[in-house]
């Protein structure tokens, strides 16, 4: 009897393993648990067991029945609960925050400047990074012996020729614009520029400018002032204050530079503004009659203004970053803040 129970146990264990769906569960029940099933067969067999052996064998049989009942109940629950055996998902776990990049502060500034000028009716044009002497200097009224043409300032592409260079400012785009479009012209021209300068907290050898050009009949310095101030108030806030300072550029006459009250000390004087209370934001002026002539525009009929912003400088003013190199080091701890 004990042996029969052991054999049946092995068989039942195998059968339990093959319970995979409701059909196999039912097949198990019909084979082992119904009146004509194997378990009842064992119980019926107890009758033939000698009286003195009955308690011991009855105990083993009872244990075996309990084992089969529990195993079957478990298998049934498993099938009915549709349990797939895969760990359930803990819906209370906090989600993983995906790492999403964002626009670089330089590009953000460029986009914002563009948005403001487009809002004032300016179109956007682009030039080329490798220029010739004519567009970068000559047509812009730089005298032949102007120091800006010096190797100290300009990266020449081919030393032996000396007239092909990486543009040192975005003003050559003005020339290309005026040569190819008849006035009225109202455009901004963003781009990368290059100067042979030492990399310091305040200067880089490669940076960005945005040029503005407005040519039409009867354009005056008042239009220039109005445009630059309107832009700067939208960029830096309605309460910012500005001053126009006389300056010199070969391609504008008169020329000016525009200063804004220092964002850090509000004009009291500090390290950032070199204790002057002011920070320079752009160069500008009325387009020189020689430049208009060089581009085939009659200075007796048309006038216009031009301005140029350094995009890194604007970004530094807007973000409070006081080392220009930080904008290019790709240190996430800095970039994440803007
Ligand atoms: N091109 C000048 C510079 O790089 C800036 C400027 C642009 C000044 C337009 C006047 C008008 O410094």
């Amino acid at each position: 009897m004990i042996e029969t129970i052991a054999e049946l146990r092995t068989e039942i264990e195998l059968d339990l393993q093959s319970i995979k769906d409701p059909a196999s569960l039912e097949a198990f029940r019909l084979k082992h648990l119904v009146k004509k099933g194997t378990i009842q067969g064992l119980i019926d067999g107890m009758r033939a067991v000698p009286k003195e052996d009955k308690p011991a064998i009855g105990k083993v049989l009872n244990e075996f029945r309990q084992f089969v009942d529990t195993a079957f109940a478990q298998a049934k629950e498993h099938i009915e609960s549709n349990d797939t055996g895969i760990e359930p998902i803990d819906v209370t776990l906090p989600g993983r925050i995906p790492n999403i990049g964002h626009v670089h502060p330089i590009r953000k500034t460029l986009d914002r400047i563009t948005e403001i000028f487009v809002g004032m009716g300016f179109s956007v044009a682009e030039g080329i990074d490798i220029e010739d002497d004519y567009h970068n200097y000559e047509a812009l009224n730089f005298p032949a012996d102007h120091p800006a043409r010096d190797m100290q300032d300009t990266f020449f592409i081919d030393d032996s020729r000396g007239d092909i260079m990486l543009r040192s400012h975005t003003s050559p785009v003005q020339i290309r614009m005026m040569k190819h479009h008849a006035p009225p012209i109202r455009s901004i021209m963003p781009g990368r520029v290059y100067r042979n300068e030492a990399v310091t907290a305040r200067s880089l050898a490669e940076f960005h400018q945005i040029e503005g050009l407005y040519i039409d009949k009867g354009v005056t310095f008042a239009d220039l002032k109005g445009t630059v101030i309107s832009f700067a108030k939208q960029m830096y806030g309605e309460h910012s204050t500005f001053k126009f300072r006389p300056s010199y550029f070969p391609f504008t006459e008169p020329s000016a530079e525009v200063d804004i009250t220092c964002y850090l000390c509000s004009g009291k004087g500090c390290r950032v503004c070199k204790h002057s209370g002011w920070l320079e934001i752009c160069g500008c002026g009325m387009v020189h009659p020689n430049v208009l002539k060089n581009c085939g525009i009659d200075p007796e009929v048309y006038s216009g203004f031009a301005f140029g912003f350094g995009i890194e400088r604007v970004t530094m003013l807007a973000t409070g970053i006081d080392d220009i190199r930080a904008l290019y080091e790709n240190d996430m701890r800095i970039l994440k803040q803007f």
Side-chain angles (χ1 to χ4, degrees):
M1 186 71 176
I2 298 284
E3 276 158 30
T4 324
I5 293 175
E7 275 165 25
L8 193 58
R9 192 181 177 110
T10 320
E11 188 186 334
I12 282 186
E13 276 171 354
L14 276 174
D15 286 353
L16 278 168
Q17 277 173 26
S18 58
I19 297 180
K20 296 270 177 317
D21 48 24
S24 45
L25 182 78
E26 183 60 3
F28 182 93
R29 193 183 70 84
L30 293 175
K31 182 171 171 194
H32 302 292
L33 304 177
V34 291
K35 263 201 176 142
K36 289 197 171 128
T38 52
I39 301 292
Q40 190 57 43
L42 281 179
I43 296 168
D44 294 346
M46 277 300 280
R47 263 183 254 132
V49 173
K51 215 175 176 183
E52 60 275 22
D53 292 342
K54 266 187 183 155
I57 294 180
K59 197 170 167 241
V60 175
L61 180 58
N62 265 337
E63 275 168 14
F64 180 58
R65 279 178 66 187
Q66 250 167 31
F67 156 74
V68 181
D69 282 349
T70 340
F72 179 74
Q74 272 174 6
K76 193 167 174 221
E77 200 188 302
H78 184 80
I79 297 290
E80 283 173 358
S81 69
N82 222 348
D83 196 341
T84 53
I86 297 169
E87 282 268 308
I89 295 165
D90 181 355
V91 291
T92 65
L93 271 181
R96 282 192 202 104
I97 300 168
N99 241 338
I100 300 174
H102 67 81
V103 177
H104 190 277
I106 296 278
R107 172 49 66 176
K108 250 187 208 162
T109 309
L110 189 57
D111 290 347
R112 178 73 187 125
I113 297 177
T114 307
E115 186 182 290
I116 295 173
F117 280 113
V118 166
M120 292 198 270
F122 283 74
S123 63
V124 183
E126 276 183 17
I128 47 177
D129 286 26
I130 297 175
E131 274 293 2
D132 52 21
D133 184 274
Y134 176 77
H135 289 90
N136 199 73
Y137 291 130
E138 196 182 323
L140 285 162
N141 201 33
F142 277 81
D145 55 358
H146 195 285
R149 295 188 183 208
D150 198 273
M151 296 285 271
Q152 299 301 317
D153 209 29
T154 309
F155 285 117
F156 289 92
I157 299 291
D158 180 350
D159 283 351
S160 62
R161 284 190 56 180
D163 62 344
I164 305 293
M165 63 198 72
L166 288 170
R167 64 177 173 194
S168 61
H169 53 174
T170 41
S171 301
V173 195
Q174 283 185 35
I175 302 297
R176 296 186 177 276
M177 194 75 196
M178 287 188 275
K179 280 195 180 260
H180 292 102
H181 295 87
I185 296 169
R186 193 158 48 178
S187 262
I188 50 163
M189 296 151 265
R192 193 172 297 186
V193 300
Y194 310 84
R195 284 184 200 174
N196 193 1
E197 280 185 36
V199 175
T200 67
R202 300 181 70 85
S203 63
L204 295 171
E206 189 182 324
F207 54 102
H208 296 81
Q209 286 187 338
I210 192 157
E211 193 86 5
L213 179 69
Y214 182 22
I215 308 281
D216 204 349
K217 289 178 182 155
V219 179
T220 68
F221 200 92
D223 296 315
L224 165 59
K225 257 185 109 171
T227 306
V228 170
I229 289 186
S230 167
F231 158 76
K233 288 206 165 184
Q234 289 180 69
M235 191 76 201
Y236 299 110
E238 198 49 46
H239 301 294
S240 325
T241 44
F242 307 95
K243 83 175 175 197
F244 281 68
R245 216 167 8 89
S247 186
Y248 172 76
F249 300 102
F251 40 96
T252 48
E253 183 59 36
S255 304
E257 275 171 314
V258 185
D259 294 344
I260 183 173
T261 311
C262 177
Y263 66 91
L264 201 66
C265 62
S266 314
K268 288 186 207 80
C270 68
R271 187 176 53 90
V272 171
C273 60
K274 291 192 188 147
H275 304 284
S276 68
W278 297 96
L279 288 165
E280 182 202 316
I281 55 168
C282 86
C284 58
M286 301 307 291
V287 179
H288 198 292
N290 287 351
V291 175
L292 292 175
K293 269 188 241 158
N294 288 342
C295 300
I297 294 173
D298 185 352
E300 297 299 326
V301 181
Y302 290 102
S303 59
F305 63 74
F307 55 83
F309 290 93
I311 295 173
E312 283 76 3
R313 176 63 66 86
V314 179
T315 308
M316 288 165 81
L317 280 173
T319 56
I321 293 176
D322 62 359
D323 187 326
I324 197 166
R325 293 167 294 193
L327 292 170
Y328 288 94
E329 277 165 1
N330 286 334
D331 185 336
M332 288 304 288
R333 288 168 304 179
I334 293 177
L335 295 181
K336 261 184 184 167
Q337 300 175 49
F338 306 102

